[in-house]
DNA sequence: ATGTGTTCCTGTCCGC
DNA sequence: TGCGGACAGGAACACA
């Protein structure tokens, strides 16, 4: 699930129970996530205050009073659960422990944050705050799609000469960071560009036109996530999963929703991932 | 340097 | 109802 909008929703949901609060205790049930968790993680977390919660690409970054930053990546199946606190105006009691609860943070005021990740593609790390941009997972990330450095000129230059399909290029976090499989499909649909088109074959105009579309798609999804946080009425305090309707993703065989198109949504596999697109209006 | 395929894990769903 | 295979929102890594 977690692409940039979901990660941002998780960050916003964690903010009230983390920012300005103390980590009183940390449980590590399984240290072997995608990579081993950092040495002495519990000790380095215990007693630390959370100064601020940030997001870079699909990473949540919690700056601690110790001068270290806790990096959180959700991978494919990572979930964050808040309990012992109000979420969206509703108090969520502590649930029974579940199978893949790998890390549990016990915060001040009795709140608890549980990181659950069945596939264990997620990760956590601790790294000096001042050196965060040099963290090995962060340093080669491309620009933030919602930031100022990401503009039409940049996009055109980044795609120029690329032989790879545009679908693959937009998934490449070095080109632009934060998009995943779902939102790349949605972006290409809105742009009317076939996922099979070679990135370098796009005109500078069409490449540049991707920028406001990418921003809109992400912004819309973040807003949908925000409203799901506001109206939190689910049984648990799980963050980041919100019902969002997609125009093409997972709609193989359905009719294209673009006015007067009448095409059919197709699915192909590109570099091992499904691409959904309209064969008629995406060129 | 680039582009492509494989790999890490578990869970779910679909057809036989 | 069981079983095998495909597939899942990520991304590093090994290889041509």
């Amino acid at each position: 699930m977690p692409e940039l909008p979901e990660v941002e929703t998780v960050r916003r949901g964690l903010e009230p129970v983390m920012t300005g609060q103390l980590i009183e205790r940390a449980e590590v049930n399984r240290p072997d996530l995608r990579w081993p968790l950092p040495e002495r993680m519990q000790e380095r977390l215990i007693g630390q205050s959370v100064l601020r919660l940030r997001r870079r690409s699909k990473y949540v970054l919690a700056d601690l009073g110790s001068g270290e930053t806790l990096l959180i990546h959700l991978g494919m199946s990572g979930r964050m659960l808040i309990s012992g606190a109000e979420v969206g105006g509703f108090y969520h009691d502590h649930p029974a422990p579940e199978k893949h609860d790998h890390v549990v943070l016990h915060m001040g005021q009795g709140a608890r944050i549980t990181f659950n990740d069945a596939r264990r593609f997620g990760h956590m790390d601790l790294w000096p705050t001042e050196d965060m941009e040099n963290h090995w997972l962060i340093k080669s990330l491309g620009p933030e799609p919602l930031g100022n450095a990401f503009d039409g000129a940049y996009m055109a230059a980044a795609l120029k000469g690329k032989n790879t399909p545009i679908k693959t290029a937009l998934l490449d976090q070095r080109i632009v960071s934060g998009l995943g499989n779902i939102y790349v499909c949605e972006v290409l649909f809105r742009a009317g560009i076939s996922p099979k088109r070679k990135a370098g074959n796009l005109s500078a105009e069409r490449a540049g036109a991707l920028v406001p579309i990418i921003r809109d798609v992400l912004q819309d999804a973040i807003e949908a996530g925000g409203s799901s946080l506001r109206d939190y009425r689910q049984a648990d305090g799980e963050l980041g999963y919100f019902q969002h309707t997609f125009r093409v993703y997972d709609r193989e065989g359905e009719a294209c929703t673009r006015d007067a198109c009448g095409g059919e949504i197709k699915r192909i596999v590109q570099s091992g991932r499904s691409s959904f697109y309209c064969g008629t209006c995406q060129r």
Side-chain angles (χ1 to χ4, degrees), chain A residues 83-98:
Chain A
S83 58
E86 277 198 7
V87 184
F90 284 80
Y91 181 84
H92 295 271
D93 237 324
H94 297 309
E98 298 219 21

Side-chain angles (χ1 to χ4, degrees), chain A residues 13-238:
Chain A
L14 290 175
E15 193 128 58
V17 288
M18 286 192 87
T19 304
Q21 300 295 322
L22 220 58
I23 302 173
E24 292 182 343
R25 193 156 69 85
E27 283 173 58
V28 176
N29 301 319
R30 262 199 96 138
D32 55 331
L33 300 189
R34 174 71 201 267
W35 296 281
L37 290 177
E39 295 287 307
R40 300 171 36 251
M41 182 162 120
Q42 283 112 313
E43 293 89 326
R44 289 158 76 181
L45 290 176
I46 289 171
Q48 297 306 319
S49 57
V50 177
L51 305 180
R52 155 170 116 105
L53 266 191
R54 302 178 281 149
R55 180 190 55 74
R56 172 74 171 101
S57 185
K58 301 173 193 173
Y59 298 89
V60 173
L61 304 175
D63 296 337
L64 307 178
S66 59
E68 291 197 298
T69 292
L70 174 66
L71 170 148
I72 303 169
H73 186 61
L74 300 173
M76 283 283 235
S77 54
R79 294 142 189 252
M80 283 291 182
L81 202 80
I82 292 178
S83 58
E86 277 198 7
V87 184
F90 284 80
Y91 181 84
H92 295 271
D93 237 324
H94 297 309
E98 298 219 21
K99 194 168 176 190
H100 302 288
D101 291 346
H102 304 312
V103 177
V104 184
L105 301 179
H106 297 255
M107 306 300 297
Q109 326 280 333
R112 208 181 276 177
I113 296 159
T114 302
F115 175 67
N116 180 290
D117 184 8
R119 295 177 73 181
R120 283 188 283 122
F121 290 168
H123 185 53
M124 287 193 191
D125 200 6
L126 284 162
W127 197 265
T129 303
E130 55 173 22
D131 194 42
M132 214 53 211
E133 68 272 23
N134 293 316
H135 188 280
W136 60 285
L137 288 167
I138 303 274
K139 66 180 178 198
S140 37
L141 291 175
E144 284 290 319
L146 299 176
N148 294 331
F150 185 61
D151 60 19
Y154 169 81
M155 190 83 262
L159 298 180
K160 193 176 174 190
K162 284 229 155 284
N163 273 317
T164 196
I166 184 66
K167 165 75 189 312
T168 310
L170 293 180
L171 273 179
D172 185 341
Q173 304 296 298
R174 294 169 301 187
I175 293 178
V176 55
S177 65
L179 295 173
N181 203 37
I182 291 179
Y183 293 112
V184 167
C185 290
E186 298 298 308
V187 161
L188 291 176
F189 174 77
R190 284 206 208 181
I193 297 171
S194 165
K196 292 186 281 192
R197 178 174 289 279
K198 295 265 176 254
N201 285 351
L202 281 175
S203 67
E205 286 73 26
R206 290 189 92 194
L210 280 168
V211 169
I213 293 172
I214 289 169
R215 289 206 159 104
D216 283 352
V217 164
L218 295 177
Q219 213 81 68
D220 287 355
I222 288 171
E223 276 168 38
S227 45
S228 82
L229 275 183
R230 266 194 311 282
D231 312 325
Y232 229 90
R233 284 160 196 282
Q234 314 304 331
D236 55 29
E238 186 174 320

